[in-house]
């Protein structure tokens, strides 16, 4: 049974579609919580067909679904987890080793796709997901019914909440091979359960943020608009819009990313809008009349030159923009620019879309393009849809209560035991020179060049989130971190990491 | 304010971890609903740190989060939508064209990645997402606050529910270039709003189902286990597990996919479990003691041969399985098989994992492997992370009330106007010969070979879902559809579609 306050805030005084503070108020913020509802179907489900849109006066109450048909059974991220995390827990509880203090780390062995640097994405989402990581009645009933774990383990899970410490690279930070992006210290039992969730969030969001950063580099001062929602899982799309914004995108087409994360949203129109109308003239007139002369007209449904002429005829020379979504964009943009200028629409911008990636954006650098709309390549990580990060046990308590380094030695997947600390070594004029990873100690400033920058910040302390920040902070951090890298970092070609990773072994 | 019944079902009599009927009872089923909650932070958020796991008696009530801190504000999929769908709606409402009866279709212009066939995934999820597509108070307040659309459009959105008709290919069905996977008929206004959501769901799930089908083909009779959750967005991972199951995977590691979709779950153990313990002997003993001799031991943390020897020493010759996660799996599997047989463990199975894709699976066909665990490649569509499907207006009402075909003519992206129907043409022995797409008419059986098979089935009628089915039905459909294809369909190399798409024009 779900109920609501029926709250309906008054419109803000400033009604422009600009980003609200992405951090919202510290005392009032939005969470996306994924609930499992049980539907009781006492009649045809939502069977009141023949709804008449002529009679659609705005009704109060957020729930269009009759509340009596739905029963809230679960609000948790705890089953976004691999089966084996729970069976390992069961065996460790039985053996008496589940309580051993343990350190797990998230890192990538390499930068996939020949990238020069990676970009940390997802940290803020992960903190919220960890807060929601509880085993509620429905989750426990599922685990019991399917015999995933035994009764003792179920009892332990019922009381689960993460009570340990987490440190990590700030969201938006650059990273390199073996950078310890996240360090989780707690009992083995508490920490092992977070493996799958932590990797899911960080792997997807970091893959998108990394691709997005290359695109905004290629675009230079021209804005990039994220519009890939339709080419990604519907909730991955929201995360992608958020990650792209961190890496410098100006806006997104995704409305849920606007509501939940405060990312500015933008939209133009589609071919279907033109085709709906009896002529392109009708369609453009409808759009300009309703959305204003500042709107963006899609001009490639039929003949581009005719559509551009028509757009300026209808909207005048203050037409906001035209969008090109097909053809040879390099030559077409030039032709359209000349045509617009000849028509006196010198301020009308040209937005290009159509399967752009960072290379296509770079290839249009000399074309008179004002903004790039990027879809598929963004949400799929531009050829690298997952960052390839892993979550590994690097140290754990022994029988004497000492923390000892551990590492596996399997072929080709050697890990580096011991808890890590990280520092970005900065040289003259503050340019990054190396990623220094200290094993079991924090590396010190080398007293040369600019002051070196420690990279791990506290995120959770004694189970309480202390690293929450507005999205704008991650966006600012990314800009600063990228500016600090040597120029080779901004090359789009496949190559070596922009700075080397240097180990400082335990002494 | 969220409350719950605190419901706690009794364990089922049959406690094995087998799949419940994935369709659940027709009168009682689970939905994942994604709610937006507003947090009122009257004190430190979840600040009761120092939780003691020694005192973790199972507490009733699904909500570990104090309910007074959370307020339900939204339960809708309606903002999983591109901004421009709403601005187009506004302009069409103002122009008086929003109510024009329209037909939109989902199709792919080609099969990406040189695939021989595509597999429809996501239909069942989409039907639930359309049911939840309502603009509630919080969504409307967001749209008002950010001035995405005007007041008239907000009023219209407040009354929105889809009241039209949808037909589609059955989930699990094979598809080809230009197959009309989904046909949506309603007013322009109602149908255009579903574009982004429909494509998000179908593009991701179909990409995964298509990749999964190639993997299960390559694996032959050997089971494939889905374990890619950590390499995908956390909710995409659940959808991926479901799509893989449709395409023949035996099980998943993802527990939420087990709870929500009834997919059987499986797990073994990780390197961290071995490293937690003082020795591999301790770890294996703990695992076998707790999980039974039928468990799967991970044997590549240190030395494989020694671990295999130790495993059989501890569990005996009835050890369930060993897992290999690194090295040259082809030669290693042979060595381990010989060692197991020499030790008398002839029934102990060998499970291989480690960045497998369909080609790696095929390359292991001659190796003594009993099961494949597939992760990254599965959830990222094996190089094709999105199916590239589009949602296009193909017909709409004119001023006389007649439905007229429409199509755009932009360079390189020509669409094919007019409402489509589809038939799989079957020849002798029931082998598929062509995808016949009828424009504005349903193609007829050609009276040769087996009876041709119409491909569109009703999914929503007058706004009511009529195409709901258990997941097992999609899985069965996929198996049958794949068996019907010519042998070339099962080639893994890049190539042409296994059957041609043939247009039957309007007469």
């Amino acid at each position: 049974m779900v109920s609501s306050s029926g709250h309906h805030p008054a419109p803000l005084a400033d009604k422009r579609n600009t980003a609200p503070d992405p951090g919202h108020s510290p005392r009032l913020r939005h969470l996306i919580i994924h609930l499992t509802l049980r539907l009781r179907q006492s009649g045809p489900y939502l069977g009141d067909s023949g709804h008449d849109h002529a009679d659609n006066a705005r009704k109060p109450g957020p729930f269009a679904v009759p509340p009596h048909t739905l029963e809230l059974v679960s609000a948790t991220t705890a089953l976004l987890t691999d089966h084996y995390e729970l069976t390992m827990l069961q065996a460790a509880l039985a053996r008496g080793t589940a309580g051993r203090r343990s350190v797990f780390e998230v890192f990538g062995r390499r930068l996939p796709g020949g990238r020069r640097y990676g970009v940390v994405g997802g940290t803020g989402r992960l903190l919220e997901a960890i807060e929601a990581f509880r085993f509620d009645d429905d989750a426990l009933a599922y685990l019991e019914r399917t015999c995933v774990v035994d009764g003792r383990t179920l009892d332990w899970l019922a009381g689960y909440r993460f009570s340990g410490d987490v440190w990590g690279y700030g969201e938006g930070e650059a990273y390199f091979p073996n950078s310890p992006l996240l360090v989780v210290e707690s009992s083995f039992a508490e920490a092992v359960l977070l493996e799958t969730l932590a990797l899911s969030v960080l792997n997807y969001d970091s893959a998108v943020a990394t691709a997005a950063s290359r695109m905004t580099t290629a675009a230079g001062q021209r804005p990039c608009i994220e519009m890939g929602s339709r080419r990604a899982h519907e909730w991955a799309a929201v995360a992608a819009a958020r990650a792209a914004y961190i890496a410098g995108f100006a806006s997104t087409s995704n409305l849920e990313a606007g509501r939940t994360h405060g990312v500015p949203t933008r939209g133009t129109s589609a071919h279907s809008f033109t085709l709906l109308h009896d002529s392109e003239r009708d369609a453009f007139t409808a759009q300009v009349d309703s959305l204003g002369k500042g709107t963006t007209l899609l001009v490639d449904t039929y003949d581009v030159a005719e559509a551009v002429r028509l757009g300026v005829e209808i909207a005048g020379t203050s037409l906001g923009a035209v969008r090109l979504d097909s053809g040879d964009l390099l030559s077409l943009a030039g032709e359209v620019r000349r045509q617009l200028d000849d028509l006196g629409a010198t301020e009308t911008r040209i937005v290009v879309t159509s399967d752009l990636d960072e290379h296509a954006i770079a290839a249009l650098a000399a074309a008179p393009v004002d903004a790039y709309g990027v879809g598929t390549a963004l949400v799929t990580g531009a050829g690298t849809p997952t960052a390839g990060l892993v979550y590994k046990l690097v140290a754990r308590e022994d029988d004497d209560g000492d923390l000892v380094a551990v590492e596996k030695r399997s072929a080709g997947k050697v890990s580096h035991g011991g808890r890590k600390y990280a520092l970005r070594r900065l040289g003259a004029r503050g340019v990054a020179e190396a990623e220094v990873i200290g094993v079991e100690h924090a590396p010190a400033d080398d007293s040369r060049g600019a002051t070196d920058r420690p990279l791990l910040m506290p995120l959770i302390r004694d189970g309480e989130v202390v690293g929450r920040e507005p999205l704008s902070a991650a966006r600012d951090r990314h800009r600063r971190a990228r500016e600090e890298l040597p120029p080779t970092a901004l090359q789009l070609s496949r190559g070596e990491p922009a700075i080397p990773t240097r180990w400082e072994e335990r002494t």
Side-chain angles (χ1 to χ4, degrees), chain A:
Chain A
M1 175 73 208
V2 175
S3 64
S4 155
S5 70
H7 155 97
H8 193 166
L12 296 184
D14 179 354
K15 288 177 69 82
R16 286 166 306 162
N17 175 29
T18 52
D21 171 15
H24 304 292
S25 149
R27 304 189 82 76
L28 187 65
R29 64 192 173 84
H30 286 72
L31 306 171
I32 297 177
I33 300 274
H34 306 262
L35 304 188
T36 299
L37 302 183
R38 181 176 292 114
L39 181 70
R40 291 197 181 280
Q41 212 166 349
S42 51
Y45 179 46
L46 301 179
D48 53 327
S49 60
H51 174 91
D52 182 5
H53 268 134
D55 172 28
N56 57 7
R58 192 110 146 255
K59 297 173 203 71
F63 242 107
V65 178
H68 68 273
T69 62
L70 293 172
E71 178 185 19
L72 174 66
V73 293
S74 189
T76 176
T77 56
L79 294 188
L80 297 169
T81 304
D82 285 325
H83 186 119
Y84 82 173
E85 317 288 7
L86 272 63
T87 51
M88 287 193 282
L89 169 65
Q90 172 180 319
L93 283 171
R95 189 66 173 188
T97 47
R100 285 185 166 186
R101 189 156 60 96
S102 296
V103 179
F104 284 84
E105 289 174 358
V106 172
F107 60 93
R109 294 191 178 92
R110 65 196 71 84
L111 295 175
R115 301 281 200 258
R116 308 307 179 102
Y117 61 97
V119 178
V120 180
T123 315
R125 294 208 309 116
L126 177 60
L127 295 178
E128 298 203 338
I130 291 176
E131 287 178 325
F133 197 93
R134 310 289 184 96
F135 291 85
D136 59 25
D137 273 8
D138 192 72
L140 294 167
Y142 163 71
L143 296 172
E144 183 171 22
R145 190 168 70 239
T146 50
C147 296
V148 172
V149 287
D150 61 17
R152 175 185 180 176
T153 308
L154 291 175
D155 286 345
W156 191 92
L157 292 174
Y160 181 89
R161 67 177 286 270
F162 182 74
S163 68
D165 298 322
V166 178
W167 297 263
Y169 278 38
E171 191 163 12
E173 184 61 84
Y175 73 86
F176 299 92
N178 292 299
S179 295
L181 302 192
L182 202 75
V183 179
V184 179
E185 176 167 353
S186 190
S187 67
F188 175 81
E190 281 192 8
V192 76
L193 291 189
L194 300 181
E195 175 178 29
T196 311
L197 183 61
L199 290 177
S200 290
V201 173
L202 296 175
N203 267 323
Y204 182 69
D205 291 24
S206 298
V208 173
T210 300
S213 179
R214 289 160 59 86
M215 291 166 180
T216 55
T217 292
Q221 296 302 310
R222 298 172 178 175
C224 292
I225 308 161
E226 190 283 308
M227 42 177 68
S229 295
R230 62 192 58 193
R231 299 298 172 89
H233 179 276
E234 67 273 23
W235 284 99
V238 181
R242 180 183 177 280
Y245 185 70
I246 290 172
F249 270 58
S251 55
T252 179
S253 64
N254 188 291
L255 292 170
E256 189 64 60
R259 171 167 68 169
T260 308
H261 301 300
V263 180
T265 68
R266 290 290 178 274
T268 60
S269 70
H271 296 108
S272 65
F273 184 79
T274 300
L275 295 172
L276 169 67
H277 291 88
D278 296 333
S279 66
E280 201 166 43
R281 175 181 295 275
D282 275 4
F284 286 4
T285 303
Q287 185 175 338
V288 170
D289 284 354
S290 179
L291 300 169
K293 293 178 178 177
T295 193
T296 301
L297 293 174
L298 177 59
V299 292
D300 70 344
T301 304
Y302 306 113
D303 178 79
V304 171
E306 171 56 20
V308 170
R309 194 201 59 70
L310 190 62
V312 177
E313 178 196 324
I314 291 167
T317 55
S318 55
L319 173 64
V322 296
R323 176 161 79 101
L324 302 172
D325 186 45
S326 55
D328 174 7
L329 296 175
L330 188 59
S331 61
L332 197 57
E335 291 166 23
V336 168
R337 181 73 272 159
R338 280 189 295 277
Q339 186 185 3
L340 286 169
D341 291 347
D342 288 347
L343 292 167
T346 54
E347 300 298 311
T348 300
R349 286 164 296 124
I350 298 176
V351 182
V352 296
T353 56
S354 188
D355 282 338
L356 298 181
D357 63 10
E358 66 270 44
H359 303 288
I361 291 169
L364 289 166
V369 164
D370 298 287
Y372 302 95
V374 190
T376 306
L378 186 278
V379 300
T380 59
T384 303
T386 180
L389 304 171
V390 296
Y391 184 95
K392 294 295 175 189
L393 182 69
V394 296
R396 51 85 181 161
E397 202 175 8
D398 66 10
D399 280 337
D400 300 329
D402 297 326
L403 204 60
V404 296
V406 295
E407 56 196 48
K408 68 175 169 173
R409 298 190 297 267
S410 34
K413 286 189 181 177
V414 173
S415 62
H416 210 111
R419 192 229 193 89
K420 315 298 184 311
Y421 300 79
L423 190 76
R424 184 132 317 143
R425 178 134 295 156
L426 303 178
R429 296 179 307 280
V431 175
E433 292 184 342
E435 190 84 337
V436 185
I437 301 178
V439 181
E440 297 184 346
H441 73 284
D445 189 286
D446 67 351
S447 311
R448 294 187 313 103
T451 305
D452 297 340
R453 194 156 63 78
L455 294 165
L456 288 172
M457 52 183 272
L459 298 175
I460 298 179
R461 188 177 295 134
D462 295 336
E464 191 175 336
V465 171
V466 296
R468 201 178 333 267
E469 61 182 15
L471 198 59
S472 57
R475 184 172 160 94
D476 291 344
R477 181 182 295 111
H478 177 64
R479 187 179 37 73
R480 290 194 306 271
R482 189 171 64 182
E483 285 171 358
E484 189 183 72
L485 297 177
T488 53
L490 305 186
Q491 295 177 352
L492 297 179
S493 56
R494 298 171 72 95
E496 295 301 308
I499 57 174
T501 298
R502 293 206 187 115
W503 294 96
E504 272 193 15
E505 297 300 330
R506 53 185 89 96
T507 45

